Amino acid sequence: MKSWTASWPCSRHVDLLINRRAAGSTRTPVVMKGELLLLSSVVFLLPVACGCPEECRCQASLNSVDCSRQGLAEIPPDLPPQTLTLHLQDNQIHQLSASAFRSVPQLTTLNLGNNSLSILAPGAFHGLQHLRVLNLTQNSLHSLESGLFHSLPQLRELDVSSNNISHLPTSLGERWENLTLFAVQQNQLQQLDRVLLESMSSVKLLFLKDNLWKCNCHLLGLKLWLEKFIYKGGVMDSVVCASPDTWKGKDLLKIPHELYQPCFSPSPDLESWQGQPLSPAQQAVLRPPKSHSVEEQDQSECELKPKPRPANLRRALVTVIIAGVLCGILCLMMLVATIYGCTYAAIAAHYREAPLAQTIEPAKTEGKELLDSPPA
């Protein structure tokens, strides 16, 4: 059902006709009746003339068009060019053709959530230079092509949650200096290249949970970027590992760096030999072992192999404190023993000197008396 408000720019024609009718009120009744009939016809046909689709509801005061829950299979072709907000959620749109929104170049908010989108043609969003919010949640997208959002320099919020996306390219367009929210939760992602995230220099909100994250060496770059992102004040949900079994259910950010094995990468010599004929000796050197295929070798290099758990800093600190306390107690006991021994020795020496002094004193007295007595 269609709804129209008279404040849409095209309503100026209605105001003009009303003013003319008021100015010509001195005309005959027949002429006035004809003008009234013409005016009512114009008002009735105005929505069609100004471009509000039959299936949509237009709000001129907000420059908003709501075409949600109408069972649409394609984008309405006659959208008002002044539209800033377009709601197309809860329909049955399967694909977007190139320049699908050419009729609404001023669009700032586009909601395509809960459709059946599986194909986004290159240039589907071409011409939307002012678009800031794009919602593509709850569709059937399996991948996003590189450069798909190249024509959206002002994009601030991109939500592609609840799809079947299993791969994201390293670039979806030019550097998104204005993008502040990026949501890809509830998809089939196993890896995410940090190069894509580094192109979002202003992102503040990041939603990555409920994917099939494979926590091997290829995800180490993402882990390092996320740690830096959180340190700078960014907000995110979580990255929970789905494989391998060693780390299933673990938070990526809580896995120590030491448990990541370096990924296999071709050596410079191998790259220099590409495109040149190899000698039998070189082929023998480069030939992989017969017992393992290249895929198995890459998998073995990338799987996280548990190593002896590194020493816990807190536990080591407690150990040092306990050892220090015990050492201090032992030293104190030795000091007490030393003081006790010295005191005992001093007391013993004092008691040994006292009887000797008592023996020597009478002897001196007798000798003095003998000297003082006169001879007989």
Side-chain angles (χ1 to χ4, degrees):
M1 183 177 180
K2 173 173 44 180
S3 175
W4 187 265
T5 56
S7 59
W8 196 268
C10 292
S11 63
R12 296 176 182 174
H13 300 287
V14 177
D15 297 336
L16 181 61
L17 289 174
I18 293 175
N19 294 334
R20 287 182 178 178
R21 182 179 179 275
S25 57
T26 58
R27 298 180 183 180
T28 62
V30 176
V31 175
M32 293 177 62
K33 185 177 180 180
E35 289 182 352
L36 182 61
L37 180 61
L38 177 61
L39 180 61
S40 61
S41 301
V42 170
V43 172
F44 179 77
L45 295 175
L46 184 61
V48 177
C50 291
C52 186
E54 181 70 23
E55 306 87 354
C56 304
R57 296 173 295 277
C58 301
Q59 296 182 0
S61 60
L62 302 176
N63 285 358
S64 174
V65 177
D66 187 355
C67 304
S68 60
R69 302 181 182 90
Q70 298 299 320
L72 300 177
E74 59 183 8
I75 308 299
D78 51 351
L79 293 170
Q82 296 85 5
T83 303
L84 298 180
T85 301
L86 178 58
H87 296 281
L88 289 168
Q89 67 270 23
D90 303 321
N91 283 293
Q92 300 176 6
I93 303 173
H94 294 274
Q95 62 180 358
L96 295 180
S97 59
S99 301
F101 302 95
R102 65 172 67 91
S103 63
V104 283
Q106 303 299 322
L107 204 62
T108 59
T109 301
L110 176 59
N111 190 343
L112 288 164
N114 195 24
N115 277 276
S116 301
L117 284 172
S118 59
I119 300 175
L120 301 178
F125 304 103
H126 180 72
L128 300 180
Q129 297 289 330
H130 306 284
L131 191 67
R132 296 185 178 184
V133 179
L134 178 57
N135 187 342
L136 293 169
T137 61
Q138 297 181 342
N139 282 285
S140 302
L141 300 173
H142 292 275
S143 63
L144 298 177
E145 298 297 329
S146 178
L148 178 63
F149 308 107
H150 180 77
S151 60
L152 306 177
Q154 300 298 324
L155 193 65
R156 294 186 179 182
E157 298 182 12
L158 175 60
D159 193 344
V160 292
S161 306
S162 302
N163 281 275
N164 296 315
I165 300 174
S166 58
H167 172 71
L168 288 176
T170 57
S171 174
L172 291 172
E174 296 181 350
R175 294 184 62 84
W176 288 347
E177 298 179 355
N178 297 313
L179 194 71
T180 58
L181 184 148
F182 183 58
V184 290
Q185 69 263 34
Q186 298 180 4
N187 279 284
Q188 307 294 320
L189 291 172
Q190 294 186 359
Q191 300 176 11
L192 182 60
D193 200 313
R194 64 180 296 176
V195 176
L196 175 61
L197 297 175
E198 287 174 348
S199 66
M200 309 173 188
S201 57
S202 301
V203 67
K204 299 297 181 183
L205 299 173
L206 191 61
F207 301 100
L208 303 172
K209 69 177 183 179
D210 296 333
N211 277 279
L212 302 179
W213 299 114
K214 188 175 183 181
C215 297
N216 55 19
C217 60
H218 294 296
L219 220 59
L220 178 58
L222 174 62
K223 172 182 171 66
L224 298 175
W225 188 90
L226 290 177
E227 291 176 347
K228 184 179 179 181
F229 172 71
I230 295 175
Y231 176 77
K232 290 184 175 181
V235 178
M236 61 168 293
D237 43 13
S238 61
V239 177
V240 178
C241 303
S243 63
D245 293 337
T246 307
W247 308 116
K248 187 175 182 179
K250 302 292 184 181
D251 192 333
L252 174 68
L253 297 181
K254 295 182 180 180
I255 301 178
H257 296 81
E258 294 81 1
L259 300 184
Y260 284 88
Q261 299 293 332
C263 288
F264 173 79
S265 58
S267 64
D269 294 335
L270 178 60
E271 294 179 355
S272 63
W273 286 340
Q274 291 180 353
Q276 300 181 6
L278 303 179
S279 64
Q282 293 174 337
Q283 293 178 2
V285 172
L286 296 178
R287 188 180 298 116
K290 296 181 180 179
S291 58
H292 300 284
S293 64
V294 175
E295 182 179 357
E296 292 175 349
Q297 182 179 1
D298 181 68
Q299 182 177 2
S300 63
E301 290 288 343
C302 289
E303 294 295 340
L304 290 175
K305 299 179 181 179
K307 290 184 177 180
R309 188 175 182 179
N312 188 287
L313 180 59
R314 184 179 299 177
R315 184 179 302 175
L317 184 60
V318 172
T319 303
V320 171
I321 293 175
I322 294 176
V325 171
L326 293 177
C327 183
I329 293 175
L330 182 60
C331 293
L332 183 60
M333 291 177 63
M334 293 177 63
L335 179 61
V336 170
T338 303
I339 295 174
Y340 175 79
C342 293
T343 304
Y344 178 80
I347 294 173
H350 176 73
Y351 279 102
R352 288 179 182 177
E353 292 176 357
L356 181 60
Q358 293 176 359
T359 304
I360 296 175
E361 187 64 27
K364 290 182 177 180
T365 304
E366 293 178 357
K368 186 177 180 180
E369 292 177 352
L370 291 174
L371 293 175
D372 294 339
S373 63

